[in-house]
């Protein structure tokens, strides 16, 4: 989240899209309700009418997978209205704080859904270069926004095709509802108003999920809603510590603190930095004339990370042990889907599953279960035996035919261990152990400690280059590892004094400092100790906007709202006098309010040559409406899902995302003549994730005992089905049995003149636990987003019949 949970109450309009926040994030909805009590409007955009929809002022149904068309039409509405009524928008924000005025390369071209030449599912280097600014060092700008090659004009040209009628033909949203959505949300572009977008997996789990979120960012930047109270792009994370696990590099392409993974072409540390560290871009003709380009500090953060990992073994002479890090092959996909594709082909021999259950939670679950059978060994660390641990005796297979050796590590539940969680709003909060784990169960941290200690013991006998990364690893936690010791290491130390670092501004690139994650520097200091333990209940902000800066700690540097220097105009006056984020700049006192993003003076009050632009993480110092770093183009473009009920893309001649990842292992593709309905997956209130925690609790099993699917009354009537019938849902990959819940929550949507039906599929069931049933992900495909390879769980073709 750019903002945080409590800040939602400051919003004038809340759009929840791809999320059922009222059920899946109920505490967040407390702040939505408080905003509504203060007069805010709530818009809910989703294929299914849910409890969130029931609370909304406007419910806008849309076909699953049609987000870019929906938001693209809103972008077009804003751009058109901006020409007619610029006084209704914070034009200074748009001109001075975004790249709307930047001049783009004259080679840029867009034709029929394509942004240039594509080779083997990727845009060519020439195409990607054409997306950049005409000058990548000191780009020209046109603050008047009139130049035909400026971002603003290219944006207008691109989204002019997204008229309301075309959008509604694609999305199935009733035109009068869509008009009300556009008018209501876009009113937040006025000075003193703010709108927020809350989204979850319904937005991201598509072959163009990244571009879905990019479209939200573009809309919010046009409206001046980034950096302000009550604004932002706010991801509703699916569990309490998803944000923390991402910060700590759960994903395959990053190291802790969002540093890039080295690849096999880097050669050495300097080669790596040349590839990943951006050079500052200094735009001309803007009021601001300097970019802080915070990622210019990349070497400080990387060297400090290497020192945290390798300690005294990491020196300048040996490149701080950079050579010991594994190097990725840029041509190999290391994500979940890519990994299981490799398993299916027999190229991976061992797998560790820590608190994960891919036999139920992975896409194309039947194929993934078969892939597990190609392993030599599998380790499952969990609080119960789950389907992944028991895949070898699942229904329909003979255990004797499975050669994979399975090891079980009994883990502790969250309340049986101590440590931090980082919530969606980036707040790091300490949790204490409430009970001892049963039997031989251990916290994950303790399990990992035992494994690494044993590995070091074994590798100590092997003087080989392959063993060096383990032998030189600094692992000095004593007889019993503690979360407190790891938290200190993550914060980092000064090598000269041995004391905790006060903040990432003190990190160095010469090996004199260490930090296990630079964005967590300042969480644990000599002066205040572990700030994640703080529980101050007084809001110290001058305007009482709900920061509660003494409750826990928030990365980075306890900043509660990111890019908050964009919340003031060029003279330092807040856009919103009622909800200022930072205010009252004085040279001696600096800013009051939130921890400022970069801390610089207002642009017009700084000396020339040091007028720092507010978006400090971007090399050009402004926010990117034009995002030339994405895989499939600089602007979100509407494509159809990999499995679509339509015969053509109504927006262009390019049917599918040309850069999407499409797996080959057991990945048959369905067509609308055989599978005319749209399937989409989600959760119910009574169960959690793959169900292994909740399906082992008798009370919850009693409340929701059976796997079920939801379908609308019209579809049920057409198929001769009634509520409670046992049905079969099928796709090209497999079929499942479930109980039919016939409901008014799904209505047929009129898409290009044809009624389209959705079927809602629950994800919680499997063959282990006290309640068993077919897994919804048997139906989903091995396809993923072009940038992240997140699976397209939310849209697939299916059909339903009586079992």
């Amino acid at each position: 989240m750019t903002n945080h949970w409590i800040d939602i109450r400051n919003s004038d309009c809340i759009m929840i899209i791809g999320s059922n926040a009222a059920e899946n994030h109920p505490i967040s909805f407390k702040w939505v309700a408080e905003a509504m009590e203060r007069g805010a409007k709530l818009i809910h955009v989703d294929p299914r009418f849910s409890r969130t929809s029931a609370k909304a002022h406007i419910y806008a149904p849309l076909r699953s997978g049609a987000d870019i068309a929906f938001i693209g039409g809103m972008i077009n509405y804003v751009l058109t209205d901006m020409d007619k009524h610029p006084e209704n928008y914070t034009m200074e924000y748009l001109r001075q704080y975004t790249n709307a005025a930047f001049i783009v390369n004259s080679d840029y071209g867009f034709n029929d859904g394509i942004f240039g030449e594509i080779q083997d599912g990727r845009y060519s280097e020439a195409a990607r270069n054409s997306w950049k600014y005409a000058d990548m060092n000191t780009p020209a700008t046109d603050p008047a926004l009139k130049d035909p090659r400026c971002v603003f004009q290219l944006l207008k040209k691109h989204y002019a095709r997204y008229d309301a009628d075309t959008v509604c033909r694609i999305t199935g949203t009733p035109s009068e509802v869509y008009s009300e959505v556009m008018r209501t949300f876009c009113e937040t572009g006025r000075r003193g108003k703010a709108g927020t977008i809350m989204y979850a997996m319904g937005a991201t789990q598509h072959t163009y999920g990244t571009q879905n979120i990019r479209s939200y960012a573009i809309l919010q930047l046009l409206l001046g809603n980034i950096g302000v109270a009550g604004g932002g792009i706010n991801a509703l994370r699916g569990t309490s510590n998803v944000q923390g696990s991402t910060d700590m590099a759960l994903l395959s392409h990053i190291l802790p603190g969002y540093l890039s993974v080295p690849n096999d072409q880097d050669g050495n540390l300097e080669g790596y930095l040349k590839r990943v560290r951006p050079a500052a871009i200094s735009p001309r003709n803007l009021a601001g004339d300097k970019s802080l380009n915070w990622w210019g500090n990349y070497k400080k953060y990387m060297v400090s990370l290497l020192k945290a990992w390798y300690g005294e073994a990491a020196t300048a002479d040996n490149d701080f042990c950079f050579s010991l890090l594994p190097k990725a092959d840029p041509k190999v996909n290391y994500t979940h889907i890519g990994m299981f594709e490799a398993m299916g082909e027999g190229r991976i021999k061992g797998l560790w599953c820590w608190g994960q259950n891919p036999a139920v939670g992975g896409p194309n679950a039947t194929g993934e279960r078969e892939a597990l059978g190609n392993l030599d060994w599998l380790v499952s660390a969990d609080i119960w035996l789950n389907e992944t641990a028991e895949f070898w005796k699942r229904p329909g297979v003979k255990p004797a035919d499975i050669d994979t050796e399975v090891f079980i590590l009994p883990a502790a539940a969250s309340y049986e261990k101590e440590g931090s969680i980082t919530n969606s709003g980036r707040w790091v909060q300490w949790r204490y152990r409430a009970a001892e784990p049963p039997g031989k169960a251990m916290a994950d941290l303790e399990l990992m400690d035992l494994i690494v200690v044993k590995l070091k013991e074994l590798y100590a006998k092997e003087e080989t280059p392959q063993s060096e990364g383990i032998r030189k690893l600094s692992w000095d936690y004593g007889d019993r590892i503690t979360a407190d010791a790891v938290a200190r290491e993550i914060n980092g130390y000064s090598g000269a004094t041995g004391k905790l670092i006060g903040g990432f501004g003190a990190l160095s690139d010469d090996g004199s400092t260490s930090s296990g994650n630079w964005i967590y520097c300042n969480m644990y200091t000599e002066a205040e100790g572990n700030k994640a333990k703080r529980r101050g209940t007084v809001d110290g902000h001058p305007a009482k906007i709900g920061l509660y800066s003494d409750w826990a700690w928030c990365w980075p540097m306890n900043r509660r709202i990111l890019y908050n220097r964009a919340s003031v105009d060029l003279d330092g006056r807040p856009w919103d006098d009622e909800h200022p984020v930072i205010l009252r700049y004085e040279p001696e006192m600096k800013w009051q309010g939130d921890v400022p993003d970069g801390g610089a003076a207002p642009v017009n009050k700084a000396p020339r040559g040091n007028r720092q632009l507010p978006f400090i993480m971007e090399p050009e110092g402004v926010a990117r409406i034009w995002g030339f770093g994405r895989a499939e183009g600089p602007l979100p473009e509407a494509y159809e899902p990999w499995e679509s009920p339509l015969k053509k893309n109504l927006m262009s001649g390019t049917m599918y995302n040309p850069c999407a990842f499409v797996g080959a292992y057991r990945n048959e593709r369905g067509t609308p003549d055989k599978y005319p309905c749209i399937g989409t997956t989600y959760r119910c209130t009574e169960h959690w994730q793959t169900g292994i925690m909740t399906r082992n609790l008798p009370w919850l099993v009693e409340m929701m005992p059976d796997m079920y699917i939801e379908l609308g009354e019209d579809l049920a009537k057409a198929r001769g089905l009634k509520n409670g019938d046992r049905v079969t849902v099928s796709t090209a990959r497999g079929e499942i049995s479930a109980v039919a819940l016939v409901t008014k929550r799904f209505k047929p949507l009129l898409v290009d003149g044809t009624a389209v039906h959705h079927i809602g599929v629950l994800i919680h069931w499997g063959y282990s636990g006290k309640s068993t049933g077919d897994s919804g992900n048997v139906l989903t495909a091995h396809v993923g987003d072009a940038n992240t390879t997140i699976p397209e769980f939310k849209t697939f073709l299916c059909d339903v019949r009586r079992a």
Side-chain angles (χ1 to χ4, degrees), residues 184-251:
T184 302
F185 192 78
C186 296
E187 285 177 355
T188 65
R190 292 177 178 270
R191 184 165 184 154
K193 297 290 184 181
T196 191
I197 296 178
M198 298 166 60
Y199 72 90
M201 294 302 183
T204 58
Q205 289 176 342
H206 298 275
T207 46
Y208 33 77
T210 300
Q211 292 287 22
N212 282 347
I213 312 311
R214 280 278 302 133
S215 71
Y216 307 164
I218 291 170
L219 178 62
Q220 289 291 68
L221 289 169
L222 289 172
L223 297 172
N225 278 332
I226 300 293
V228 301
I233 307 289
N234 293 307
L236 312 188
R237 298 299 205 165
T239 65
S240 61
N241 201 25
V242 169
Q243 184 64 55
S245 63
T246 310
D247 300 341
M248 297 299 168
L250 181 73
L251 300 177

Side-chain angles (χ1 to χ4, degrees), residues 116-138:
E117 181 188 25
I118 296 177
Q119 301 170 347
D120 299 323
R122 297 184 181 185
Y123 277 99
S124 67
E125 184 177 358
R128 295 176 68 86
N129 285 336
S130 75
W131 307 342
K132 297 179 180 180
Y133 306 135
D135 180 344
M136 287 297 292
N137 296 313
T138 56

Side-chain angles (χ1 to χ4, degrees), residues 15-19 44-46 67 70-71 197-200 203 216:
M15 181 161 66
I16 301 177
I17 182 167
S19 163
H44 188 220
V45 184
D46 202 87
D67 301 60
F70 190 96
I71 301 297
I197 296 178
M198 298 166 60
Y199 72 90
Y216 307 164

Side-chain angles (χ1 to χ4, degrees), residues 267-274 299 302-303 306 319-320 322:
N268 54 28
L269 180 58
E270 284 306 315
Y272 165 81
L273 293 169
K274 183 178 180 181
K299 186 174 182 180
M302 186 64 178
V303 170
L306 291 168
D319 232 5
F320 301 104
F322 176 81

Side-chain angles (χ1 to χ4, degrees), residues 341 364 642 662-669 733 780-783:
E341 291 278 314
N364 193 2
W642 189 64
V662 179
Y665 183 71
R666 302 278 196 273
N667 198 35
E668 291 77 13
R669 189 177 196 172
R733 280 131 340 249
T780 55
H782 243 215
V783 296

Side-chain angles (χ1 to χ4, degrees), residues 299-308 507-508 513-516:
K299 186 174 182 180
K300 297 177 182 179
Y301 307 148
M302 186 64 178
V303 170
S304 295
L305 177 64
L306 291 168
K307 289 294 292 185
L507 294 179
S508 173
T513 59
S514 69
S515 173

Side-chain angles (χ1 to χ4, degrees), residues 510-803:
D510 62 2
S512 61
T513 59
S514 69
S515 173
N517 190 327
W518 73 274
I519 62 175
Y520 279 68
C521 269
N522 184 251
M523 184 192 82
Y524 208 132
T525 64
E526 297 288 342
E528 296 183 68
N530 187 345
K531 297 181 184 180
K533 295 181 177 180
R534 298 187 304 181
R535 294 296 182 266
T537 57
V538 175
D539 182 9
H541 190 279
K544 308 296 182 187
I545 64 170
L547 293 189
Y548 292 97
S549 298
D550 291 324
W551 181 282
W553 180 87
C554 180
W555 71 259
M557 296 298 292
N558 207 34
R559 186 172 301 123
R560 304 287 160 137
I561 296 179
L562 295 179
Y563 299 116
N564 54 34
R565 280 184 52 241
S567 69
V568 297
D569 64 19
L570 295 172
D571 294 314
R573 296 186 298 266
W575 302 113
D576 184 350
D577 293 330
E578 186 179 352
H579 306 104
V581 184
I582 58 172
L583 66 163
R584 301 173 190 161
Y585 178 85
E586 297 294 340
E588 297 80 19
M589 297 291 294
K590 304 298 182 184
W591 294 98
Q592 295 184 40
D594 197 8
V595 177
D597 212 343
V603 170
N604 284 348
K605 294 185 178 181
R608 292 195 180 277
N610 197 34
R611 294 184 167 184
Q612 295 178 12
L613 292 158
F615 285 83
I616 66 173
M617 300 307 293
E618 298 294 350
E620 57 271 74
V622 297
R624 289 184 177 177
I625 289 174
W626 186 267
F628 51 79
R630 301 282 67 80
E632 66 272 77
L635 294 173
E637 170 67 4
Y639 300 114
E640 285 298 308
W642 189 64
E643 290 185 339
S644 168
L646 302 187
K647 294 182 179 179
K648 63 178 182 179
N649 182 352
L650 300 180
M651 195 58 73
S652 77
T654 303
M655 185 72 172
Y656 311 108
N657 185 339
C659 302
F661 182 90
V662 179
Y665 183 71
R666 302 278 196 273
N667 198 35
E668 291 77 13
R669 189 177 196 172
T671 54
D673 56 327
K674 294 181 180 179
Y675 306 103
C677 301
I678 300 173
T680 189
T681 63
Y682 49 84
R683 306 172 183 175
C684 64
T685 302
E686 295 81 5
H687 288 295
W688 180 249
Q689 303 294 75
T690 66
I692 205 64
M693 289 183 281
T694 53
R695 287 188 288 109
N696 277 294
L697 299 177
W699 304 278
L700 291 175
V701 170
E702 183 178 0
M703 292 174 71
M704 190 59 71
D706 296 311
M707 166 64 182
Y708 69 94
I709 59 101
E710 291 189 288
L711 71 162
E713 294 173 332
D714 290 34
L715 178 59
K717 183 178 181 181
R719 295 291 191 275
L721 303 173
K722 64 181 184 300
N723 201 49
D725 282 350
R726 175 67 62 173
V727 298
T728 297
V729 181
S730 58
T731 70
R733 280 131 340 249
E735 59 183 39
I736 63 169
S737 177
V739 175
L741 195 164
V742 179
T743 176
K744 297 180 185 295
R745 287 190 284 269
F746 277 121
K747 302 285 188 184
L749 299 179
L750 197 62
V751 177
D752 196 26
T754 301
V756 171
H757 297 276
H758 286 79
I759 296 174
V761 178
L762 279 296
I763 65 170
H764 308 297
W765 273 268
Y767 43 79
S768 301
K770 295 183 181 300
S771 170
T772 60
D774 287 347
S775 303
N777 277 320
V778 166
L779 306 175
T780 55
H782 243 215
V783 296
D785 172 75
N787 297 276
T788 65
T789 324
I790 191 171
E792 192 162 57
F793 288 122
K794 292 298 179 275
T795 310
F796 53 91
L797 291 180
C798 63
D799 202 2
V800 62
R801 67 180 189 273
R802 186 185 302 277

